[in-house]
Amino acid sequence: MITFENVTKKYPDGTVAVDDLTLEVPEGTLTVFVGPSGCGKTTSMRMINRMIEPTSGTLTVDGSDVTKVDPVKLRLGIGYVIQSAGLMPHLRIVDNVATVPVLQGQSRRSARKSAIGVMERVGLDPKLADRYPAQLSGGQQQRVGVARALAADPPILLMDEPFSAVDPVVREDLQTEILRLQSELRKTIVFVTHDIDEAVKLGDKVAVFGRGGALLQYADPAFVLSNPADERVSEFVGADRGYRGLQFFHATGLPLHEIRHVADGEVDGLNLASGEWALVIKAEKPYAWINAEGVELHRKGSALYDSTVGGGSFFHPDDTLRQALDAALSSPSGLGVAVDDAGRLIGGVRADDVLEALKEQRRIPELG
Ligand SMILES: Nc1ncnc2c1ncn2[C@@H]1O[C@H](COP(=O)(O)OP(=O)(O)O)[C@@H](O)[C@H]1O
Ligand SMILES: [Mg+2]
């Protein structure tokens, strides 16, 4: 566990890079420090491995005050990955990966052997072992950077914008790889990024930093998106992300409303007022929406069927609030079509109920 207790860092020129930071990074979790450039993320991270000394406050790693631990020893137990991968250009990949184990006294031979294993672990072809960094793509170099940080099997991993310099497709691969690795390794990871999407995708918890090195919010990602602590956080996570947050909430207990419906063979007898909609059921399944105009068309041998009914916008009771809202918003009647496992109509969901349910669930107290 890593704890910051009222940690402040003031640079000699008077810049307050980190302002009274109090935060706990639980063991075995991936915590993301996110925020715009210059808000003190890197400074906070580098105080963990004592590359930067705090001006005041206490920072502990597994209970020990870092300023009282030999910095070389401390750093050997903390893997560190940076944006440019930071590989040594004159060393072959295998020797880059083996750097720390060799520093720790392992024989070069055994360190190289295990380096190959770590390379495979992060998705690198062992055939690349004898190349030099410049002979690898940006994405491959970042994987080498991760492999090198993992080679000595440190319990803690610090990653400072490790994927920011690679293109978006490769970045997504690397993010997925980190999640897969972490599900096996359960390291204590601090991951710095300025990208809120990356933070939400990777973080068990997300710490949002703002100007002047202030911690604005520290919570799980769903909570940050759905319930930003203040204007600064909501501006940073983006106004449109209120809806995005819906995917993190289950729609359990969402009220189902009655939907007027009619069997396909009985559309002719239907009397619909202007603006009223009915759901046509065919072979026991919702088939199409129809209105008064549609009934007319039906009489003439054609029908005004709304294609969205068959287009996958059904709602199932174990779906998320986002799917409920999608169903409601894509229905011409304003009632999203809810179906059971067999695809039979069980009722309708309304957008205002979804927003009400969201409000309810937002009242869940913030986790530590
Ligand atoms: N060595 C330094 N001397 C003076 N100011 C610095 C130094 N390093 C960083 N800063 C300043 O501290 C603030 C936080 O920087 P940093 O921790 O790098 O932020 P981030 O990683 O969030 O972009 C910035 O205003 C930056 O200009
Ligand atoms: Mg930085």
Side-chain angles (χ1 to χ4, degrees):
M1 179 153 86
I2 302 164
T3 62
F4 291 79
E5 242 183 274
N6 306 107
V7 172
T8 292
K9 175 64 191 182
K10 196 171 174 178
Y11 284 111
D13 67 357
T15 307
V16 176
V18 178
D19 188 10
D20 197 25
L21 176 62
T22 296
L23 165 152
E24 245 173 42
V25 178
E27 203 159 311
T29 65
L30 195 160
T31 291
V32 179
F33 292 179
V34 68
S37 178
C39 63
K41 306 180 296 294
T42 294
T43 303
S44 299
M45 170 175 274
R46 288 189 174 171
M47 287 191 284
I48 297 170
N49 65 0
R50 222 182 145 183
M51 291 169 76
I52 295 173
E53 303 267 339
T55 309
S56 60
T58 311
L59 205 167
T60 67
V61 171
D62 290 332
S64 310
D65 184 333
V66 291
T67 61
K68 300 196 167 78
V69 180
D70 171 22
V72 175
K73 256 201 197 126
L74 179 73
R75 277 171 221 156
L76 287 177
I78 302 179
Y80 187 49
V81 187
I82 55 175
Q83 184 179 324
S84 57
L87 303 178
M88 289 185 268
H90 58 286
L91 288 185
R92 293 182 302 154
I93 298 306
V94 64
D95 288 322
N96 263 287
V97 174
T99 307
V100 178
V102 168
L103 283 175
Q104 284 176 326
Q106 245 188 65
S107 79
R108 195 165 291 276
R109 200 163 152 213
S110 89
R112 277 185 179 145
K113 206 172 145 199
S114 44
I116 304 283
V118 182
M119 284 178 65
E120 286 182 304
R121 192 148 215 186
V122 302
L124 280 169
D125 188 336
K127 277 188 276 189
L128 300 174
D130 288 330
R131 293 210 194 158
Y132 290 90
Q135 298 170 310
L136 264 52
S137 72
Q140 287 170 330
Q141 290 185 32
Q142 282 311 121
R143 285 181 197 263
V144 176
V146 174
R148 184 182 53 178
L150 289 174
D153 200 24
I156 297 175
L157 206 54
L158 307 180
M159 309 183 80
D160 192 353
E161 309 241 8
F163 308 146
S164 295
V166 293
D167 71 68
V169 177
V170 176
R171 189 183 313 160
E172 288 222 3
D173 283 350
L174 290 167
Q175 289 166 345
T176 306
E177 194 74 29
I178 279 295
L179 286 175
R180 190 189 60 73
L181 270 173
Q182 174 64 351
S183 72
E184 289 171 10
L185 302 177
R186 299 263 162 233
K187 303 272 181 199
T188 304
I189 302 179
V190 177
F191 189 108
V192 162
T193 181
H194 61 270
D195 176 355
I196 183 67
D197 291 321
E198 184 166 75
V200 166
K201 177 167 177 186
L202 297 183
D204 295 309
K205 293 186 84 178
V206 170
V208 184
F209 286 73
R211 277 183 206 301
L215 176 65
L216 305 180
Q217 189 167 15
Y218 185 40
D220 69 277
F223 195 89
V224 171
L225 290 183
S226 60
N227 197 8
D230 62 19
E231 281 298 305
R232 293 167 298 177
V233 178
S234 67
E235 192 180 314
F236 179 71
V237 303
D240 63 317
R241 288 191 167 82
Y243 281 159
R244 192 180 291 217
L246 286 172
Q247 69 187 286
F248 296 106
F249 295 105
H250 285 287
T252 316
L254 197 68
L256 293 179
H257 301 270
E258 197 158 323
I259 291 185
R260 182 164 183 191
H261 57 279
V262 57
D264 185 47
E266 288 158 23
V267 171
D268 257 358
L270 199 59
N271 264 319
L272 289 171
S274 158
E276 202 181 349
W277 290 90
L279 190 63
V280 180
I281 307 290
K282 197 169 172 175
E284 291 187 30
K285 288 181 182 164
Y287 175 62
W289 285 103
I290 197 166
N291 63 7
E293 202 185 336
V295 175
E296 280 305 308
L297 285 169
H298 192 266
R299 285 201 184 103
K300 292 177 192 148
S302 99
L304 182 69
Y305 286 151
D306 186 274
S307 59
T308 59
V309 173
S313 59
F314 292 126
F315 167 74
H316 304 84
D318 56 353
D319 281 344
T320 64
L321 286 180
R322 185 182 180 104
Q323 285 154 321
L325 187 67
D326 282 346
L329 294 179
S330 63
S331 162
S333 71
L335 278 168
V337 179
V339 295
D340 63 15
D341 288 340
R344 280 184 298 253
L345 176 69
I346 53 174
V349 289
R350 292 165 48 140
D352 50 359
D353 289 335
V354 172
L355 299 179
E356 197 52 44
L358 180 65
K359 256 195 248 160
E360 279 298 316
Q361 298 199 32
R362 274 176 180 168
R363 284 190 202 118
I364 296 166
E366 186 161 359
L367 302 167

PDB file of all heavy atoms in Angstrom, residues 3-31:
ATOM      1  N   THR A   3       0.742   5.357   0.728  1.00  0.00           N
ATOM      2  CA  THR A   3      -0.103   6.414   1.307  1.00  0.00           C
ATOM      3  C   THR A   3       0.577   7.777   1.231  1.00  0.00           C
ATOM      4  O   THR A   3       1.769   7.907   1.531  1.00  0.00           O
ATOM      5  CB  THR A   3      -0.452   6.138   2.780  1.00  0.00           C
ATOM      6  OG1 THR A   3       0.749   6.118   3.532  1.00  0.00           O
ATOM      7  CG2 THR A   3      -1.176   4.824   2.965  1.00  0.00           C
ATOM      8  N   PHE A   4      -0.200   8.748   0.791  1.00  0.00           N
ATOM      9  CA  PHE A   4       0.217  10.143   0.844  1.00  0.00           C
ATOM     10  C   PHE A   4      -0.536  10.775   2.005  1.00  0.00           C
ATOM     11  O   PHE A   4      -1.757  10.635   2.088  1.00  0.00           O
ATOM     12  CB  PHE A   4      -0.189  10.892  -0.424  1.00  0.00           C
ATOM     13  CG  PHE A   4       0.541  10.498  -1.680  1.00  0.00           C
ATOM     14  CD1 PHE A   4       0.204   9.351  -2.373  1.00  0.00           C
ATOM     15  CD2 PHE A   4       1.544  11.312  -2.198  1.00  0.00           C
ATOM     16  CE1 PHE A   4       0.851   8.997  -3.550  1.00  0.00           C
ATOM     17  CE2 PHE A   4       2.199  10.974  -3.372  1.00  0.00           C
ATOM     18  CZ  PHE A   4       1.859   9.811  -4.050  1.00  0.00           C
ATOM     19  N   GLU A   5       0.204  11.460   2.874  1.00  0.00           N
ATOM     20  CA  GLU A   5      -0.456  12.144   3.980  1.00  0.00           C
ATOM     21  C   GLU A   5      -0.051  13.606   3.968  1.00  0.00           C
ATOM     22  O   GLU A   5       1.098  13.936   4.281  1.00  0.00           O
ATOM     23  CB  GLU A   5      -0.007  11.502   5.295  1.00  0.00           C
ATOM     24  CG  GLU A   5      -1.138  10.881   6.090  1.00  0.00           C
ATOM     25  CD  GLU A   5      -0.568  10.354   7.393  1.00  0.00           C
ATOM     26  OE1 GLU A   5      -0.083   9.202   7.402  1.00  0.00           O
ATOM     27  OE2 GLU A   5      -0.569  11.115   8.381  1.00  0.00           O
ATOM     28  N   ASN A   6      -0.957  14.443   3.554  1.00  0.00           N
ATOM     29  CA  ASN A   6      -0.695  15.894   3.482  1.00  0.00           C
ATOM     30  C   ASN A   6       0.625  16.210   2.776  1.00  0.00           C
ATOM     31  O   ASN A   6       1.412  17.021   3.236  1.00  0.00           O
ATOM     32  CB  ASN A   6      -0.680  16.509   4.890  1.00  0.00           C
ATOM     33  CG  ASN A   6      -1.951  16.185   5.650  1.00  0.00           C
ATOM     34  OD1 ASN A   6      -1.960  15.371   6.568  1.00  0.00           O
ATOM     35  ND2 ASN A   6      -3.036  16.810   5.235  1.00  0.00           N
ATOM     36  N   VAL A   7       0.845  15.530   1.656  1.00  0.00           N
ATOM     37  CA  VAL A   7       2.110  15.704   0.942  1.00  0.00           C
ATOM     38  C   VAL A   7       2.051  16.935   0.032  1.00  0.00           C
ATOM     39  O   VAL A   7       1.124  17.087  -0.761  1.00  0.00           O
ATOM     40  CB  VAL A   7       2.453  14.445   0.110  1.00  0.00           C
ATOM     41  CG1 VAL A   7       3.658  14.710  -0.789  1.00  0.00           C
ATOM     42  CG2 VAL A   7       2.727  13.265   1.034  1.00  0.00           C
ATOM     43  N   THR A   8       3.030  17.802   0.187  1.00  0.00           N
ATOM     44  CA  THR A   8       3.137  18.994  -0.650  1.00  0.00           C
ATOM     45  C   THR A   8       4.508  19.020  -1.295  1.00  0.00           C
ATOM     46  O   THR A   8       5.499  18.638  -0.672  1.00  0.00           O
ATOM     47  CB  THR A   8       2.923  20.268   0.201  1.00  0.00           C
ATOM     48  OG1 THR A   8       1.556  20.310   0.629  1.00  0.00           O
ATOM     49  CG2 THR A   8       3.228  21.541  -0.598  1.00  0.00           C
ATOM     50  N   LYS A   9       4.554  19.424  -2.562  1.00  0.00           N
ATOM     51  CA  LYS A   9       5.842  19.639  -3.208  1.00  0.00           C
ATOM     52  C   LYS A   9       5.881  21.033  -3.801  1.00  0.00           C
ATOM     53  O   LYS A   9       5.058  21.388  -4.653  1.00  0.00           O
ATOM     54  CB  LYS A   9       6.069  18.622  -4.330  1.00  0.00           C
ATOM     55  CG  LYS A   9       7.340  18.876  -5.116  1.00  0.00           C
ATOM     56  CD  LYS A   9       8.586  18.711  -4.243  1.00  0.00           C
ATOM     57  CE  LYS A   9       9.845  19.217  -4.954  1.00  0.00           C
ATOM     58  NZ  LYS A   9      11.046  19.005  -4.105  1.00  0.00           N
ATOM     59  N   LYS A  10       6.822  21.798  -3.281  1.00  0.00           N
ATOM     60  CA  LYS A  10       7.030  23.149  -3.789  1.00  0.00           C
ATOM     61  C   LYS A  10       8.416  23.177  -4.404  1.00  0.00           C
ATOM     62  O   LYS A  10       9.401  22.849  -3.735  1.00  0.00           O
ATOM     63  CB  LYS A  10       6.935  24.128  -2.598  1.00  0.00           C
ATOM     64  CG  LYS A  10       6.756  25.559  -2.982  1.00  0.00           C
ATOM     65  CD  LYS A  10       6.462  26.371  -1.710  1.00  0.00           C
ATOM     66  CE  LYS A  10       6.421  27.859  -2.016  1.00  0.00           C
ATOM     67  NZ  LYS A  10       6.105  28.641  -0.818  1.00  0.00           N
ATOM     68  N   TYR A  11       8.496  23.504  -5.697  1.00  0.00           N
ATOM     69  CA  TYR A  11       9.814  23.572  -6.337  1.00  0.00           C
ATOM     70  C   TYR A  11      10.508  24.860  -5.911  1.00  0.00           C
ATOM     71  O   TYR A  11       9.850  25.829  -5.505  1.00  0.00           O
ATOM     72  CB  TYR A  11       9.666  23.491  -7.855  1.00  0.00           C
ATOM     73  CG  TYR A  11       9.373  22.082  -8.345  1.00  0.00           C
ATOM     74  CD1 TYR A  11       8.128  21.744  -8.876  1.00  0.00           C
ATOM     75  CD2 TYR A  11      10.348  21.090  -8.260  1.00  0.00           C
ATOM     76  CE1 TYR A  11       7.864  20.458  -9.317  1.00  0.00           C
ATOM     77  CE2 TYR A  11      10.089  19.793  -8.700  1.00  0.00           C
ATOM     78  CZ  TYR A  11       8.851  19.487  -9.228  1.00  0.00           C
ATOM     79  OH  TYR A  11       8.600  18.213  -9.654  1.00  0.00           O
ATOM     80  N   PRO A  12      11.855  24.866  -6.031  1.00  0.00           N
ATOM     81  CA  PRO A  12      12.625  26.039  -5.577  1.00  0.00           C
ATOM     82  C   PRO A  12      12.138  27.359  -6.177  1.00  0.00           C
ATOM     83  O   PRO A  12      12.235  28.405  -5.530  1.00  0.00           O
ATOM     84  CB  PRO A  12      14.052  25.721  -6.048  1.00  0.00           C
ATOM     85  CG  PRO A  12      14.115  24.239  -6.111  1.00  0.00           C
ATOM     86  CD  PRO A  12      12.732  23.783  -6.488  1.00  0.00           C
ATOM     87  N   ASP A  13      11.584  27.322  -7.391  1.00  0.00           N
ATOM     88  CA  ASP A  13      11.121  28.586  -7.992  1.00  0.00           C
ATOM     89  C   ASP A  13       9.763  29.031  -7.447  1.00  0.00           C
ATOM     90  O   ASP A  13       9.187  30.015  -7.914  1.00  0.00           O
ATOM     91  CB  ASP A  13      11.056  28.457  -9.511  1.00  0.00           C
ATOM     92  CG  ASP A  13       9.987  27.470  -9.979  1.00  0.00           C
ATOM     93  OD1 ASP A  13       9.328  26.846  -9.114  1.00  0.00           O
ATOM     94  OD2 ASP A  13       9.802  27.326 -11.196  1.00  0.00           O
ATOM     95  N   GLY A  14       9.234  28.295  -6.470  1.00  0.00           N
ATOM     96  CA  GLY A  14       7.981  28.700  -5.842  1.00  0.00           C
ATOM     97  C   GLY A  14       6.753  27.975  -6.374  1.00  0.00           C
ATOM     98  O   GLY A  14       5.667  28.078  -5.797  1.00  0.00           O
ATOM     99  N   THR A  15       6.904  27.213  -7.483  1.00  0.00           N
ATOM    100  CA  THR A  15       5.767  26.470  -8.039  1.00  0.00           C
ATOM    101  C   THR A  15       5.287  25.406  -7.049  1.00  0.00           C
ATOM    102  O   THR A  15       6.075  24.571  -6.603  1.00  0.00           O
ATOM    103  CB  THR A  15       6.172  25.738  -9.343  1.00  0.00           C
ATOM    104  OG1 THR A  15       6.762  26.683 -10.220  1.00  0.00           O
ATOM    105  CG2 THR A  15       4.968  25.081  -9.995  1.00  0.00           C
ATOM    106  N   VAL A  16       4.007  25.481  -6.712  1.00  0.00           N
ATOM    107  CA  VAL A  16       3.439  24.403  -5.905  1.00  0.00           C
ATOM    108  C   VAL A  16       2.919  23.340  -6.875  1.00  0.00           C
ATOM    109  O   VAL A  16       1.897  23.518  -7.534  1.00  0.00           O
ATOM    110  CB  VAL A  16       2.306  24.905  -4.989  1.00  0.00           C
ATOM    111  CG1 VAL A  16       1.672  23.739  -4.236  1.00  0.00           C
ATOM    112  CG2 VAL A  16       2.836  25.937  -4.004  1.00  0.00           C
ATOM    113  N   ALA A  17       3.659  22.250  -7.008  1.00  0.00           N
ATOM    114  CA  ALA A  17       3.306  21.214  -7.985  1.00  0.00           C
ATOM    115  C   ALA A  17       2.285  20.253  -7.409  1.00  0.00           C
ATOM    116  O   ALA A  17       1.423  19.730  -8.128  1.00  0.00           O
ATOM    117  CB  ALA A  17       4.547  20.464  -8.439  1.00  0.00           C
ATOM    118  N   VAL A  18       2.374  19.989  -6.111  1.00  0.00           N
ATOM    119  CA  VAL A  18       1.436  19.094  -5.432  1.00  0.00           C
ATOM    120  C   VAL A  18       1.025  19.779  -4.137  1.00  0.00           C
ATOM    121  O   VAL A  18       1.879  20.203  -3.361  1.00  0.00           O
ATOM    122  CB  VAL A  18       2.087  17.721  -5.129  1.00  0.00           C
ATOM    123  CG1 VAL A  18       1.124  16.820  -4.371  1.00  0.00           C
ATOM    124  CG2 VAL A  18       2.556  17.046  -6.417  1.00  0.00           C
ATOM    125  N   ASP A  19      -0.279  19.901  -3.945  1.00  0.00           N
ATOM    126  CA  ASP A  19      -0.769  20.709  -2.839  1.00  0.00           C
ATOM    127  C   ASP A  19      -1.530  19.870  -1.820  1.00  0.00           C
ATOM    128  O   ASP A  19      -2.682  19.505  -2.051  1.00  0.00           O
ATOM    129  CB  ASP A  19      -1.666  21.824  -3.406  1.00  0.00           C
ATOM    130  CG  ASP A  19      -2.062  22.840  -2.343  1.00  0.00           C
ATOM    131  OD1 ASP A  19      -1.497  22.785  -1.232  1.00  0.00           O
ATOM    132  OD2 ASP A  19      -2.943  23.665  -2.631  1.00  0.00           O
ATOM    133  N   ASP A  20      -0.880  19.526  -0.737  1.00  0.00           N
ATOM    134  CA  ASP A  20      -1.535  18.878   0.397  1.00  0.00           C
ATOM    135  C   ASP A  20      -2.291  17.607  -0.017  1.00  0.00           C
ATOM    136  O   ASP A  20      -3.475  17.447   0.256  1.00  0.00           O
ATOM    137  CB  ASP A  20      -2.499  19.878   1.052  1.00  0.00           C
ATOM    138  CG  ASP A  20      -2.910  19.437   2.452  1.00  0.00           C
ATOM    139  OD1 ASP A  20      -2.146  18.679   3.085  1.00  0.00           O
ATOM    140  OD2 ASP A  20      -3.999  19.846   2.896  1.00  0.00           O
ATOM    141  N   LEU A  21      -1.566  16.710  -0.639  1.00  0.00           N
ATOM    142  CA  LEU A  21      -2.179  15.488  -1.168  1.00  0.00           C
ATOM    143  C   LEU A  21      -2.306  14.419  -0.091  1.00  0.00           C
ATOM    144  O   LEU A  21      -1.326  14.032   0.542  1.00  0.00           O
ATOM    145  CB  LEU A  21      -1.337  14.947  -2.329  1.00  0.00           C
ATOM    146  CG  LEU A  21      -1.774  13.624  -2.950  1.00  0.00           C
ATOM    147  CD1 LEU A  21      -3.170  13.743  -3.563  1.00  0.00           C
ATOM    148  CD2 LEU A  21      -0.773  13.159  -3.999  1.00  0.00           C
ATOM    149  N   THR A  22      -3.533  13.963   0.111  1.00  0.00           N
ATOM    150  CA  THR A  22      -3.783  12.841   1.008  1.00  0.00           C
ATOM    151  C   THR A  22      -4.551  11.790   0.222  1.00  0.00           C
ATOM    152  O   THR A  22      -5.606  12.076  -0.336  1.00  0.00           O
ATOM    153  CB  THR A  22      -4.599  13.288   2.239  1.00  0.00           C
ATOM    154  OG1 THR A  22      -3.811  14.219   2.992  1.00  0.00           O
ATOM    155  CG2 THR A  22      -4.953  12.102   3.134  1.00  0.00           C
ATOM    156  N   LEU A  23      -3.979  10.596   0.147  1.00  0.00           N
ATOM    157  CA  LEU A  23      -4.573   9.564  -0.709  1.00  0.00           C
ATOM    158  C   LEU A  23      -3.921   8.219  -0.399  1.00  0.00           C
ATOM    159  O   LEU A  23      -2.763   8.153  -0.027  1.00  0.00           O
ATOM    160  CB  LEU A  23      -4.329  10.002  -2.155  1.00  0.00           C
ATOM    161  CG  LEU A  23      -4.475   9.115  -3.370  1.00  0.00           C
ATOM    162  CD1 LEU A  23      -4.834   9.987  -4.556  1.00  0.00           C
ATOM    163  CD2 LEU A  23      -3.205   8.387  -3.682  1.00  0.00           C
ATOM    164  N   GLU A  24      -4.704   7.161  -0.548  1.00  0.00           N
ATOM    165  CA  GLU A  24      -4.205   5.813  -0.299  1.00  0.00           C
ATOM    166  C   GLU A  24      -4.333   4.980  -1.563  1.00  0.00           C
ATOM    167  O   GLU A  24      -5.407   4.933  -2.157  1.00  0.00           O
ATOM    168  CB  GLU A  24      -5.073   5.151   0.766  1.00  0.00           C
ATOM    169  CG  GLU A  24      -4.347   4.853   2.035  1.00  0.00           C
ATOM    170  CD  GLU A  24      -5.290   4.364   3.124  1.00  0.00           C
ATOM    171  OE1 GLU A  24      -6.182   3.543   2.809  1.00  0.00           O
ATOM    172  OE2 GLU A  24      -5.136   4.813   4.271  1.00  0.00           O
ATOM    173  N   VAL A  25      -3.268   4.338  -1.967  1.00  0.00           N
ATOM    174  CA  VAL A  25      -3.339   3.408  -3.099  1.00  0.00           C
ATOM    175  C   VAL A  25      -3.328   1.996  -2.516  1.00  0.00           C
ATOM    176  O   VAL A  25      -2.306   1.532  -2.027  1.00  0.00           O
ATOM    177  CB  VAL A  25      -2.145   3.591  -4.051  1.00  0.00           C
ATOM    178  CG1 VAL A  25      -2.200   2.579  -5.187  1.00  0.00           C
ATOM    179  CG2 VAL A  25      -2.103   5.023  -4.589  1.00  0.00           C
ATOM    180  N   PRO A  26      -4.481   1.313  -2.545  1.00  0.00           N
ATOM    181  CA  PRO A  26      -4.536  -0.007  -1.914  1.00  0.00           C
ATOM    182  C   PRO A  26      -3.678  -1.033  -2.656  1.00  0.00           C
ATOM    183  O   PRO A  26      -3.478  -0.932  -3.861  1.00  0.00           O
ATOM    184  CB  PRO A  26      -6.023  -0.391  -2.022  1.00  0.00           C
ATOM    185  CG  PRO A  26      -6.741   0.846  -2.435  1.00  0.00           C
ATOM    186  CD  PRO A  26      -5.752   1.716  -3.134  1.00  0.00           C
ATOM    187  N   GLU A  27      -3.205  -2.007  -1.912  1.00  0.00           N
ATOM    188  CA  GLU A  27      -2.374  -3.048  -2.490  1.00  0.00           C
ATOM    189  C   GLU A  27      -3.137  -3.818  -3.569  1.00  0.00           C
ATOM    190  O   GLU A  27      -4.314  -4.111  -3.421  1.00  0.00           O
ATOM    191  CB  GLU A  27      -1.979  -4.006  -1.365  1.00  0.00           C
ATOM    192  CG  GLU A  27      -0.735  -4.771  -1.668  1.00  0.00           C
ATOM    193  CD  GLU A  27      -0.101  -5.288  -0.376  1.00  0.00           C
ATOM    194  OE1 GLU A  27       0.052  -4.481   0.566  1.00  0.00           O
ATOM    195  OE2 GLU A  27       0.204  -6.479  -0.334  1.00  0.00           O
ATOM    196  N   GLY A  28      -2.441  -4.137  -4.638  1.00  0.00           N
ATOM    197  CA  GLY A  28      -3.023  -4.989  -5.669  1.00  0.00           C
ATOM    198  C   GLY A  28      -4.028  -4.309  -6.571  1.00  0.00           C
ATOM    199  O   GLY A  28      -4.721  -4.973  -7.341  1.00  0.00           O
ATOM    200  N   THR A  29      -4.122  -2.986  -6.488  1.00  0.00           N
ATOM    201  CA  THR A  29      -5.067  -2.288  -7.366  1.00  0.00           C
ATOM    202  C   THR A  29      -4.320  -1.405  -8.353  1.00  0.00           C
ATOM    203  O   THR A  29      -3.160  -1.060  -8.152  1.00  0.00           O
ATOM    204  CB  THR A  29      -6.024  -1.367  -6.582  1.00  0.00           C
ATOM    205  OG1 THR A  29      -5.262  -0.320  -5.977  1.00  0.00           O
ATOM    206  CG2 THR A  29      -6.779  -2.129  -5.520  1.00  0.00           C
ATOM    207  N   LEU A  30      -5.013  -1.059  -9.426  1.00  0.00           N
ATOM    208  CA  LEU A  30      -4.467  -0.105 -10.387  1.00  0.00           C
ATOM    209  C   LEU A  30      -5.166   1.230 -10.161  1.00  0.00           C
ATOM    210  O   LEU A  30      -6.380   1.349 -10.347  1.00  0.00           O
ATOM    211  CB  LEU A  30      -4.701  -0.609 -11.819  1.00  0.00           C
ATOM    212  CG  LEU A  30      -3.889   0.085 -12.923  1.00  0.00           C
ATOM    213  CD1 LEU A  30      -3.829  -0.804 -14.166  1.00  0.00           C
ATOM    214  CD2 LEU A  30      -4.436   1.446 -13.303  1.00  0.00           C
ATOM    215  N   THR A  31      -4.384   2.201  -9.707  1.00  0.00           N
ATOM    216  CA  THR A  31      -4.938   3.533  -9.460  1.00  0.00           C
ATOM    217  C   THR A  31      -4.408   4.482 -10.516  1.00  0.00           C
ATOM    218  O   THR A  31      -3.215   4.489 -10.817  1.00  0.00           O
ATOM    219  CB  THR A  31      -4.529   4.016  -8.060  1.00  0.00           C
ATOM    220  OG1 THR A  31      -5.215   3.219  -7.091  1.00  0.00           O
ATOM    221  CG2 THR A  31      -4.921   5.471  -7.848  1.00  0.00           C
TER     222      THR A  31
END
